[in-house]
């Protein structure tokens, strides 16, 4: 079979090919009847199951009818939350026989009755007022007051409303922290909207004054900054600072991760990391390597880095270790690797962050590459 890049097949299934890629795809399909049959099988598989797996150089003509019938039965038994699934490689050949034997010929350790269901996180956060008072936000749907500023809590979003006639004596600071498995939204006094991911923190004034609007943050935070050209908005992270006028961007800076990311959705931002700095345009990302203290920029698909705030986890050719590291904070689990090589297996996926994690691990196992043993909130990962 003539080979074609997997990304082109994947984008064809999603209906997002460029005109040049469409020409290449058509040339590949029309090159032989076997290519056409192969793609139709992939297309059927994708429609029936919602995911595809890529493996190189294997026979694709084994027991297709039996396999797709098994997919239909599986689909009837439980809701599917994975839109597509793939392992990255050089050629795009689906090993049907391996998938059949993997699916039908073994017990599923993740979905066994003894395994505890790992539920997703939710709206959980703590507000620290200027006087040191601690407020559990998810249990306090009410109105608060801080230095004449009205604070409204909905149970998932905290909003600051400053009366135009209010004059504050000195800067009054508040802080919001999310735990493992928590997230929360905040609307600051200037109208800037903030979304905190799990294990994240932001400190901010209840009302902005001075030449700049400065906040301090850590973890993963998405900002939709209210435009004010006279007062730049500055985000001070542990390892870098971001300065903007009015824009949307995502920052990720966790103490246990080797890289810091600033991803721009719209507008323009300046990223400062020690002596290094860069200016980002939309669809670009600045990455700081904390080990080498180097700052690099690259063009990215921003959806992969910001869809979390919309309830999705968008993964494109990512290492298993990176995927599970992100998920562990949201699902409040701890991951250990029996085999180090399991960390480097790469996947594509687009999943619902609010589904239970067992369904996700089950999808990983069905690739035939890895196996999981779950005990409480600890996941052990091993090569299959």
């Amino acid at each position: 079979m003539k080979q074609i890049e997997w990304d082109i097949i994947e984008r064809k299934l999603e209906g997002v090919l460029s005109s040049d890629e469409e020409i290449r795809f058509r040339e590949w399909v029309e090159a032989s009847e076997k290519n056409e049959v192969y793609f139709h099988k992939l297309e059927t598989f994708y429609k029936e199951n919602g995911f595809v797996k890529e493996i190189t150089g294997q026979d694709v003509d084994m027991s297709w009818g039996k396999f797709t019938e098994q997919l239909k039965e599986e689909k009837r038994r439980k809701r599917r939350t994975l839109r597509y699934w793939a392992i990255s490689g050089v050629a795009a050949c689906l090993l049907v026989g391996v998938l059949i034997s993997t699916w039908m010929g073994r017990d599923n350790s993740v979905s066994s009755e003894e395994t505890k269901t790992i539920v997703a996180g939710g709206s959980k956060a703590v507000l620290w007022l200027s006087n040191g008072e601690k407020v559990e936000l998810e249990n306090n749907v009410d109105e608060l007051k801080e230095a004449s500023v009205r604070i409204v809590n909905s149970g998932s979003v905290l909003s600051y409303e400053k009366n135009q006639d209010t004059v504050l004596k000195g800067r009054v600071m508040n802080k919001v922290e999310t735990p493992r498995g928590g997230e929360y939204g905040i609307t600051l006094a200037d109208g800037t909207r903030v979304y905190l991911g799990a294990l994240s923190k932001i400190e901010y004034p209840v009302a902005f004054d001075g030449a700049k609007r400065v906040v301090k943050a850590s973890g993963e935070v998405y900002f939709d900054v209210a435009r004010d050209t006279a007062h730049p908005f500055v985000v001070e992270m542990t390892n870098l600072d971001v300065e903007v006028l009015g824009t949307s961007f995502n920052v990720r800076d966790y103490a246990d991760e080797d890289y810091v990311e600033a991803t721009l959705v719209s507008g323009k931002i300046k990223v400062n990391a020690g002596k290094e700095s860069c200016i980002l345009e939309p669809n670009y990302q600045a990455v700081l390597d904390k080990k080498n203290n180097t700052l690099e920029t690259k063009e990215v698909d921003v959806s992969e880095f910001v869809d979390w705030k919309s309830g999705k986890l968008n993964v494109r050719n990512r290492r298993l270790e990176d995927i599970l590291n992100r998920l562990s904070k949201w699902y409040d689990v701890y991951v250990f690797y029996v085999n180090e090589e399991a960390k480097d297996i790469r996947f594509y996926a687009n999943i619902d962050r609010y589904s239970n994690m067992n369904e996700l691990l089950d999808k990983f196992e069905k690739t035939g590459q890895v196996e999981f043993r779950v005990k409480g909130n600890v996941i052990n990962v091993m090569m299959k």
Side-chain angles (χ1 to χ4, degrees):
M1 184 193 308
K2 181 180 178 181
Q3 294 180 350
I4 186 174
E5 293 89 344
W6 175 256
D7 283 352
I8 291 181
I9 289 182
E10 178 198 354
R11 288 195 289 275
K12 178 62 177 178
L13 291 171
E14 295 182 301
V16 293
L17 281 184
S18 67
S19 55
D20 289 341
E21 289 172 335
E22 183 67 38
I23 292 173
R24 293 179 60 189
F25 172 78
R26 295 314 312 172
E27 289 176 347
W28 171 75
V29 167
E30 294 169 2
S32 73
E33 183 180 354
K34 193 171 184 178
N35 289 353
E36 184 177 2
V37 171
Y38 167 68
F39 176 74
H40 285 318
K41 288 179 178 181
L42 275 182
E43 189 175 38
T44 301
F45 183 28
Y46 180 87
K47 290 177 179 178
E48 292 293 339
N49 189 46
F51 72 91
V52 286
K53 175 187 175 182
E54 177 193 3
I55 299 177
T56 60
Q58 302 289 341
D59 183 14
V60 299
D61 297 320
M62 299 172 61
S63 307
W64 187 260
K66 183 177 181 180
F67 184 50
T68 53
E69 188 60 35
Q70 178 71 16
L71 292 177
K72 292 178 183 178
E73 179 62 26
E74 180 85 3
K75 187 176 181 181
R76 284 191 289 268
R77 287 199 304 265
K78 69 178 183 180
R79 179 174 62 90
R80 300 196 174 278
T81 59
L82 190 64
R83 186 164 58 88
Y84 65 90
W85 202 264
I87 292 180
S88 175
V90 178
C93 294
L94 181 68
L95 181 53
V96 179
V98 169
L99 287 176
I100 293 173
S101 61
T102 299
W103 202 325
M104 302 178 65
R106 65 177 176 84
D107 293 331
N108 191 318
S109 61
V110 173
S111 59
S112 67
E113 292 183 1
E114 298 178 357
T115 300
K116 174 186 174 183
T117 299
I118 304 173
V119 298
S123 296
K124 294 181 287 184
V126 172
L127 166 67
W128 295 92
L129 298 173
S130 60
N131 62 2
E133 181 183 350
K134 177 182 177 181
V135 181
E136 299 281 353
L137 294 177
E138 66 272 22
N139 298 322
N140 193 341
V141 182
D142 205 349
E143 290 187 14
L144 304 167
K145 207 164 189 179
E146 176 78 297
S148 300
V149 175
R150 182 169 173 257
I151 308 173
V152 180
N153 180 36
S154 71
S156 60
V157 177
L158 195 66
S159 301
Y160 285 74
E161 300 175 5
K162 177 180 178 294
N163 190 307
Q164 296 298 323
D165 298 328
T166 300
V167 177
L168 300 180
K169 296 180 180 180
R171 179 169 294 186
V172 180
M173 302 297 292
N174 279 186
K175 180 171 64 177
V176 172
E177 296 178 286
T178 55
R180 297 181 69 89
E183 64 179 2
Y184 223 79
I186 308 168
T187 301
L188 302 179
D190 66 338
T192 292
R193 291 178 293 177
V194 179
Y195 302 86
L196 292 181
L199 273 179
S200 301
K201 177 171 58 179
I202 183 170
E203 187 174 3
Y204 52 89
V206 298
F208 291 101
D209 59 1
K212 293 183 177 181
R213 299 169 286 166
V214 181
V215 302
K216 295 181 179 181
S218 64
E220 183 159 33
V221 190
Y222 181 90
F223 290 89
D224 187 359
V225 178
R227 186 169 182 81
D228 183 351
T229 56
H231 302 89
F233 193 95
V234 178
V235 181
E236 296 180 350
M237 307 289 287
T238 304
N239 295 282
L240 56 76
D241 298 339
V242 179
E243 183 172 341
V244 303
L245 296 177
T247 185
S248 299
F249 63 99
N250 193 81
V251 288
R252 184 180 178 91
D253 185 356
Y254 284 103
D256 64 340
E257 296 181 5
D258 295 331
Y259 298 92
V260 183
E261 301 167 349
T263 309
L264 182 61
V265 178
S266 64
K268 184 180 291 187
I269 63 175
K270 182 179 182 181
V271 178
N272 299 303
K275 296 181 179 179
E276 295 195 67
S277 66
C278 63
I279 295 177
L280 293 185
E281 300 287 345
N283 301 314
Y284 275 81
Q285 180 184 74
V287 180
L288 173 67
D289 185 332
K290 291 193 288 188
K291 290 183 178 179
N292 302 323
N293 199 31
T294 56
L295 185 66
E296 297 183 355
T297 62
K298 59 182 178 180
E299 189 173 9
V300 296
D301 178 355
V302 296
S303 64
E304 182 178 353
F305 303 93
V306 304
D307 278 1
W308 66 269
K309 72 179 183 62
S310 302
K312 294 291 183 181
L313 177 72
N314 191 345
V315 176
R316 302 187 65 79
N317 196 25
R318 287 281 179 173
R319 296 171 62 247
L320 180 60
E321 182 182 27
D322 296 332
I323 297 170
L324 294 182
N325 190 30
R326 288 177 180 258
L327 291 174
S328 67
K329 296 177 174 65
W330 175 236
Y331 285 93
D332 189 15
V333 294
Y334 296 89
V335 183
F336 296 94
Y337 294 86
V338 178
N339 310 107
E340 285 293 311
E341 56 268 34
K343 295 179 177 181
D344 294 321
I345 300 174
R346 290 179 175 268
F347 292 91
Y348 288 83
N350 195 330
I351 63 174
D352 180 358
R353 289 177 70 242
Y354 297 103
S355 61
N356 71 65
M357 194 173 182
N358 304 70
E359 294 182 25
L360 170 62
L361 298 181
D362 184 51
K363 298 296 192 299
F364 277 116
E365 286 200 336
K366 282 172 179 155
T367 66
Q369 302 298 299
V370 290
E371 190 172 354
F372 302 95
R373 290 288 184 268
V374 180
K375 187 173 183 180
N377 68 337
V378 176
I379 301 173
N380 289 289
V381 185
M382 61 204 76
M383 296 292 291
K384 177 63 180 176

